[in-house]
Amino acid sequence: MPIFDFGRRGNKINSARANSSQLRWENQSEKRDFLIEKKSLEGKLVALDLMLDELKSTQINTRKQQTILSQRMTEVNIILLL
């Protein structure tokens, strides 16, 4: 076994450390991107839920208006028949 390796072992260690650091950075980057996308989707879901509530409220109000108008038309028709 040779005593001197002319820095090859140190280079291999440094290369392995660099690869490890790169993989760690890529993992952190993917986690960050995932969290950003998750927050974005959560925001969109909240907005859609609010829009759905508003649409339901509008539908209820429209039906109430329809009922009121139908009653008024019936009253007008009864008055005209008299």
Side-chain angles (χ1 to χ4, degrees):
M1 180 168 190
I3 297 174
F4 298 106
D5 64 357
F6 302 103
R8 290 184 200 125
R9 189 177 318 150
N11 288 341
K12 288 180 183 179
I13 291 171
N14 289 337
S15 175
R17 284 183 183 158
N19 287 338
S20 175
S21 293
Q22 180 182 356
L23 290 174
R24 195 174 324 124
W25 281 105
E26 287 175 3
N27 186 21
Q28 289 175 353
S29 175
E30 288 177 7
K31 283 181 183 179
R32 186 194 70 238
D33 292 345
F34 171 77
L35 291 175
I36 290 170
E37 185 67 22
K38 180 181 172 187
K39 289 292 182 185
S40 173
L41 290 174
E42 287 174 351
K44 289 177 183 178
L45 285 174
V46 168
L48 287 173
D49 190 43
L50 291 173
M51 286 175 49
L52 184 60
D53 289 343
E54 289 177 10
L55 286 172
K56 286 179 182 178
S57 175
T58 300
Q59 182 184 26
I60 290 169
N61 289 336
T62 301
R63 287 185 178 167
K64 285 180 183 177
Q65 288 176 354
Q66 182 182 14
T67 303
I68 291 170
L69 288 174
S70 293
Q71 289 173 350
R72 287 183 183 169
M73 290 300 293
T74 303
E75 291 172 1
V76 167
N77 285 338
I78 290 174
I79 291 173
L80 289 176
L81 290 175
L82 296 175

